[in-house]
Amino acid sequence: MNRLFFLFLIFFAISIIQSCATTKKSMMRNDPLIGKIINTQSSRPIDFESLIKDISTYDVIYLSEKHDNPEQHHIQQRVIRRLIETGLNPFIGFEFFSMDNTPDLLNFVDSGKVSHSKKIEKIIEADLRKKLGWDTQSDKMWRYYFDLLSIAKKEKLQVAGIDLPGTLKKRITRKGINGITPIEKDQLFSTQLSDEAYKDYMFSIFKSVHCGMGHEKMQSRLYDTWVARNDKMAHSITRLYKHGKGPIVIIIGGGHTEYGLGVINRVAAIDKTIKQVNIALREISVKPSELPDYILPLELEGFEKVPPADYLWFTQRVSYADPCEEFKKSLQKMKKSSEN
């Protein structure tokens, strides 16, 4: 049973690392914060145009999302379009694609130089989706990122993937960083950042994601994957910065940027001259909360106490359901299967 439980947790963890699995819809609630943009330094709301003016001077702009929230993807489109309207030429980097995917992404953008029939456009999209390995993902999730790629194609923007290849991520999660081969390690980049306080913090996050069920070996492998991904994405962003003319807009999950950790502090470790700003697209909490609860700084030994992001843009939740209930149901099914 222990082996089955461990394998189940590894499978569950990989699904989170690969796609941050979508949640089921449930009853929505109103909240006065929905739609508000908050400058966390002043704790005051600002309007959209003020936000655009503020972020336009930065080298890297993070639009940190919850992957399956459609409202947050609409906000990303709105921000990118407005940056273009102000005369900027943003370079879009995607967590959901690897750096190795970049030539295929650029081929798609280049396809916009020639007009095609709707039939050919659908063929081009299907070909891209297959090459990126997204033909097995849901149409809804694909559309979120394809719409952003379509803006890039129309506006002739540069795009790139910034993450590790999916197979390598799975290999590290299954084997740990010390279990992969030297050839695989050669594909990694390390900032050499290492801190036990941050590691303990991430272990607590992994345990929370698994509904309080901790497994030391699994958590260690998850952490290896987490660090390898953040290092790779930080390295990719610094490379985009060297080659991009406009601001680098990064489409990324909020966990990789929260409190200036994960990717942001690793970019700074590589190149301190890069000016970064993080806009966290934040779902309202399950239960009503006051603004101060959202902007509480993280108290972590050895790290500066800062708010979760430079700006919080609040949105409706995708779901108010308890994800741990689904986890428990899956675990019970696994137990019954092992007993038969």
Side-chain angles (χ1 to χ4, degrees):
M1 176 60 196
N2 286 339
R3 175 176 168 76
L4 283 172
F5 178 67
F6 177 67
L7 290 174
F8 173 75
L9 288 181
I10 286 288
F11 174 79
F12 185 74
I14 288 173
S15 71
I16 292 171
I17 284 177
Q18 286 299 100
S19 62
C20 294
T22 58
T23 51
K24 293 181 180 179
K25 268 203 167 186
S26 57
M27 186 72 71
M28 302 291 103
R29 72 169 172 82
N30 293 324
D31 190 294
L33 283 174
I34 293 175
K36 294 285 181 61
I37 307 170
I38 304 296
N39 181 326
T40 61
Q41 292 301 315
S42 65
S43 299
R44 297 178 65 84
I46 63 170
D47 59 34
F48 178 66
E49 289 303 321
S50 296
L51 175 72
I52 295 299
K53 183 178 179 180
D54 288 352
I55 67 175
S56 294
T57 61
Y58 284 85
D59 302 314
V60 179
I61 302 167
Y62 297 93
L63 298 179
S64 303
E65 65 182 31
K66 183 175 183 294
H67 296 312
D68 62 348
N69 187 306
E71 186 180 350
Q72 294 183 6
H73 290 288
H74 291 149
I75 290 170
Q76 290 169 340
Q77 293 178 35
R78 185 181 173 192
V79 170
I80 290 170
R81 287 195 173 104
R82 190 68 188 107
L83 289 172
I84 295 168
E85 288 170 358
T86 63
L88 296 175
N89 191 37
F91 191 139
I92 309 177
F94 294 86
E95 172 205 346
F96 255 124
F97 307 125
S98 74
M99 181 58 81
D100 293 349
N101 292 144
T102 300
D104 289 320
L105 296 174
L106 291 173
N107 277 339
F108 172 74
V109 170
D110 286 346
S111 72
K113 295 177 181 178
V114 179
S115 61
H116 300 285
S117 66
K118 289 184 178 180
K119 181 178 180 180
I120 296 299
E121 289 287 355
K122 288 183 178 180
I123 292 173
I124 291 172
E125 177 185 349
D127 180 61
L128 175 67
R129 187 172 178 176
K130 184 174 182 179
K131 285 177 178 175
L132 296 175
W134 272 68
D135 47 339
T136 57
Q137 294 276 3
S138 72
D139 290 343
K140 182 184 290 186
M141 287 297 291
W142 166 250
R143 183 56 52 184
Y144 293 151
Y145 300 101
F146 182 72
D147 285 348
L148 290 169
L149 289 171
S150 296
I151 292 174
K153 183 177 75 167
K154 180 181 178 181
E155 302 295 339
K156 300 178 176 59
L157 305 178
Q158 287 188 289
V159 295
I162 63 172
D163 205 350
L164 292 171
T167 304
L168 184 52
K169 288 187 285 189
K170 290 179 181 179
R171 290 271 295 172
I172 299 171
T173 303
R174 288 173 179 150
K175 293 177 169 290
I177 200 69
N178 294 322
I180 62 175
T181 65
I183 292 176
E184 290 171 307
K185 289 180 181 178
D186 282 345
Q187 299 180 53
L188 305 178
F189 171 84
S190 178
T191 57
Q192 303 300 319
L193 288 184
S194 178
D195 188 279
E196 286 302 313
Y198 178 65
K199 182 177 181 180
D200 291 342
Y201 168 68
M202 288 310 306
F203 270 44
S204 71
I205 296 295
F206 298 147
K207 186 174 181 178
S208 174
V209 167
H210 291 102
C211 307
M213 299 181 186
H215 192 294
E216 189 173 350
K217 184 183 288 187
M218 182 204 68
Q219 289 178 324
S220 179
R221 293 178 182 179
L222 280 177
Y223 186 71
D224 284 349
T225 310
W226 181 257
V227 170
R229 293 186 62 204
N230 287 332
D231 278 349
K232 176 64 176 180
M233 288 193 282
H235 185 230
S236 298
I237 290 167
T238 60
R239 290 170 68 186
L240 300 187
Y241 172 69
K242 290 180 181 178
H243 301 294
K245 294 180 181 179
I248 313 300
V249 175
I250 299 297
I251 307 300
I252 191 169
H256 293 285
T257 58
E258 200 168 35
Y259 301 107
L261 302 175
V263 170
I264 293 177
N265 67 328
R266 284 169 162 77
V267 168
I270 300 170
D271 187 343
K272 289 183 173 59
T273 68
I274 297 176
K275 294 172 57 181
Q276 306 178 80
V277 62
N278 183 21
I279 304 168
L281 308 177
R282 178 62 55 85
E283 290 188 332
I284 56 170
S285 56
V286 173
K287 296 181 179 179
S289 301
E290 299 297 323
L291 178 60
D293 296 328
Y294 289 100
I295 60 178
L296 280 174
L298 175 68
E299 295 192 18
L300 197 61
E301 185 179 355
F303 292 88
E304 183 182 358
K305 292 173 64 175
V306 296
D310 300 297
Y311 299 90
L312 295 178
W313 188 327
F314 290 97
T315 72
Q316 180 60 267
R317 297 185 65 83
V318 171
S319 173
Y320 289 84
D322 183 358
C324 289
E325 288 303 315
E326 291 298 317
F327 180 84
K328 290 173 184 176
K329 288 178 184 178
S330 298
L331 188 58
Q332 285 299 321
K333 288 181 182 179
M334 184 198 70
K335 286 180 180 179
K336 289 180 181 179
S337 177
S338 66
E339 291 169 357
N340 293 336

